[in-house]
């Protein structure tokens, strides 16, 4: 696989140019590029870049602040110093979605604002176990020079102020993606200029990498070495790997009732409870995934993230979550889901857009079918069949 880094302002992003870009796609190759930057999370002071926007009734009685939702526009810098040069922003949301551990489910874009990446973005949807020393999250898309991106972002906390809550996190990103140096209409001379710009950018990137004192590493995930060196080696051998198909089957237990719910309402519109579809309701979940539908069936993982009632006329939930596997062969690995769930349909198909651990660069389909639904309590058990392509 090959990666290129053209100058973003030289890429025509009109619909016609994008269509032309896709026509040229079969002639392109992919390669791997590494990025490194520091993510500055400021929740204190008058100019906070991370703000609390919603929570459940029980959030501040929870040891993990379960249900807390935060919107961010955090600076990305070359180095850890707060005065270090800004290269972009992290913009999006995260929610505390684990009843036991400190976990933020991240749904955001890395927006690059300077240099060769100016105007391009990388999309991240993953599980950030913030109290662990190292975390791996999937890159599930991108724009500009990062069109069709997919890859891995690894995070390590560089600094955390226990009083203010402010933090600095170091990120390494390895996104393989497809992109040309130039559009198909460029001349050969222009292509050579673009190649020269790419070589210069690689030199600058190396200088940035050498100037950063911290290196991201990750713990072992059930036999998979997730250190930065091993992740880089994994990507280097990617061209020799073949995709394989894995099938998974489990039951998703959504409990909204009782003293210990695993799905809690955190936000709604003024009109939500007058709407027949509860339009605007947002729920944070940490639902058990079990082998079978029985109450005492073994737990194989958790579904952590949010679902949002986003249909005015039909109950359709936007699911933005991770399947986190906690036992067995896939322990420590995740699958990222982003899709629409029309809950009253017999079968619903949702896309797998990424993964981590043994499911790096995963893509696939999750099919849901309601097994039971209690109209009084709102509790539900949903059967999931998952077919996923991964390396």
């Amino acid at each position: 696989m090959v990666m290129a880094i053209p100058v973003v302002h030289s890429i025509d992003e009109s619909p016609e140019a994008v269509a032309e870009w896709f026509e040229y796609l079969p002639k392109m190759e992919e390669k791997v590029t590494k990025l490194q930057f520091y993510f500055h999370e400021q929740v204190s002071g008058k100019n906070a870049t991370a703000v609390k926007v919603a929570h459940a009734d029980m959030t501040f009685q929870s040891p993990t602040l379960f249900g807390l939702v935060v919107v961010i526009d955090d600076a990305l810098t070359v180095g850890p110093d707060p005065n270090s040069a800004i290269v972009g922003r992290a913009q999006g949301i995260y929610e505390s979605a684990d009843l036991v551990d400190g976990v933020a489910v991240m749904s955001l874009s890395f927006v690059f604002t300077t240099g060769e990446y100016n105007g391009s973005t990388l999309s991240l949807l993953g599980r950030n176990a913030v109290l662990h020393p190292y975390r791996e999250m999937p890159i599930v898309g991108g724009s500009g020079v990062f069109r069709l991106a997919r890859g891995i972002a690894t995070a390590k906390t560089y600094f955390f102020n226990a009083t203010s809550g402010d933090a600095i996190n170091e990120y390494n990103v390895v996104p393989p993606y497809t992109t040309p140096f130039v559009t198909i209409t460029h001349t050969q001379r222009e292509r050579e200029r673009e190649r020269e710009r790419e070589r210069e950018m690689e030199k600058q990137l190396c200088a940035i990498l050498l100037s950063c004192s911290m290196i991201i590493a990750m713990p072992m995930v059930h036999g998979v070495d997730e250190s930065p060196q091993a992740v880089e080696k994994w990507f280097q051998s990617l061209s020799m790997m073949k995709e394989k198909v894995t099938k998974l089957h489990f039951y998703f237990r959504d409990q909204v009732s009782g003293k210990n719910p695993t799905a809690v309402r955190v936000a709604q519109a003024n009109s939500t409870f007058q709407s027949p579809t509860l339009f605007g309701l947002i729920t944070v979940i940490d639902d058990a995934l079990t082998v079978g539908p029985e109450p005492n069936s073994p737990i194989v993982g958790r579904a952590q993230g949010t679902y949002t009632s986003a249909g005015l006329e039909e109950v359709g939930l936007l699911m933005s979550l991770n399947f986190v596997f906690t036992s067995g062969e896939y322990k420590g690995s995740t699958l990222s889901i982003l899709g629409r769930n029309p809950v009253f349909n017999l079968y619903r198909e949702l896309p797998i857009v990424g993964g981590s651990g043994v499911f790096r660069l995963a893509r696939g389909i999750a099919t849901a079918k309601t097994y039971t639904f209690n109209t009084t309590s709102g509790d539900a058990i949903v059967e999931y069949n998952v077919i996923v392509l991964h390396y």
Side-chain angles (χ1 to χ4, degrees), residues 36-40 74-89 168-169 208 212:
Q36 188 179 48
F37 46 78
Y38 289 80
F39 179 121
H40 293 256
D74 289 339
L76 306 177
T77 63
V78 171
D81 191 306
N83 297 316
S84 181
I86 293 176
V87 296
R89 313 292 299 185
I168 300 173
N169 295 287
I208 291 172
C212 296

Side-chain angles (χ1 to χ4, degrees), residues 147-165:
R147 288 172 184 161
L148 306 189
R150 54 186 182 136
I152 296 296
T154 64
K156 178 181 181 179
T157 302
Y158 178 85
F159 166 81
F160 176 70
N161 187 318
T163 303
S164 68

Side-chain angles (χ1 to χ4, degrees), residues 48-306:
T49 61
V51 294
K52 301 171 184 176
V53 298
H55 58 83
D57 291 340
M58 48 79 74
T59 291
F60 298 108
Q61 285 74 53
S62 164
T64 63
L65 296 178
F66 180 63
L68 184 65
V69 181
V70 177
V71 172
I72 65 171
D73 182 7
D74 289 339
L76 306 177
T77 63
V78 171
D81 191 306
N83 297 316
S84 181
I86 293 176
V87 296
R89 313 292 299 185
Q91 297 176 337
I93 66 170
Y94 63 79
E95 60 274 355
S96 179
D98 195 306
L99 286 160
V100 177
D101 293 325
V103 169
V105 174
M106 317 284 283
S107 179
L108 57 86
S109 292
F110 293 136
V111 185
F112 299 99
T113 57
T114 61
E116 302 293 326
Y117 303 98
N118 187 16
S120 295
T121 70
L122 286 170
S123 300
L124 181 148
L125 176 60
R127 179 180 186 268
N128 186 356
V130 296
L131 300 181
H132 293 194
Y134 309 110
R135 293 88 74 182
E136 175 182 314
M137 290 168 279
I139 299 294
V140 299
S143 67
V145 298
F146 295 119
R147 288 172 184 161
L148 306 189
R150 54 186 182 136
I152 296 296
T154 64
K156 178 181 181 179
T157 302
Y158 178 85
F159 166 81
F160 176 70
N161 187 318
T163 303
S164 68
D166 296 344
I168 300 173
N169 295 287
E170 185 186 6
Y171 275 77
N172 271 359
V173 181
V174 186
Y177 65 98
T178 306
T179 186
F181 293 109
V182 292
T183 65
I184 195 170
T185 57
H186 280 204
T187 65
Q188 183 62 33
R189 184 178 179 184
E190 288 172 324
R191 290 179 183 176
E192 290 300 327
R193 288 175 178 170
E194 292 296 338
R195 292 188 179 100
E196 187 61 36
R197 291 189 184 106
E198 185 213 2
R199 287 191 286 269
E200 182 62 29
M201 182 56 198
E202 287 176 346
K203 292 178 183 177
Q204 294 174 10
L205 183 60
C206 288
I208 291 172
L209 290 170
L210 289 172
S211 71
C212 296
S213 59
M214 299 291 291
I215 299 294
I216 290 293
M218 291 179 295
M220 192 80 71
V221 176
H222 198 73
V224 177
D225 184 354
E226 293 190 331
S227 68
Q229 297 83 4
V231 171
E232 181 175 351
K233 185 177 180 180
W234 187 88
F235 274 95
Q236 289 172 349
S237 62
L238 193 57
S239 61
M240 296 180 286
M241 301 181 196
K242 292 184 178 180
E243 279 190 313
K244 59 183 177 181
V245 177
T246 295
K247 297 181 181 180
L248 307 171
H249 178 257
F250 47 78
Y251 290 81
F252 174 118
R253 314 180 75 89
D254 194 49
Q255 184 178 342
V256 301
S257 67
K259 294 182 179 179
N260 299 301
T262 59
V264 294
R265 299 172 179 174
V266 298
Q268 67 278 323
N270 292 333
S271 62
T272 291
F273 296 109
Q274 284 74 54
S275 164
T277 63
L278 295 178
F279 179 64
L281 185 66
I282 300 176
T283 302
V284 173
I285 65 171
D286 182 11
D287 289 339
L289 306 177
T290 60
V291 171
E294 302 80 15
N296 297 321
S297 181
I299 293 174
V300 295
R302 314 291 299 185
Q304 296 177 336
T306 64

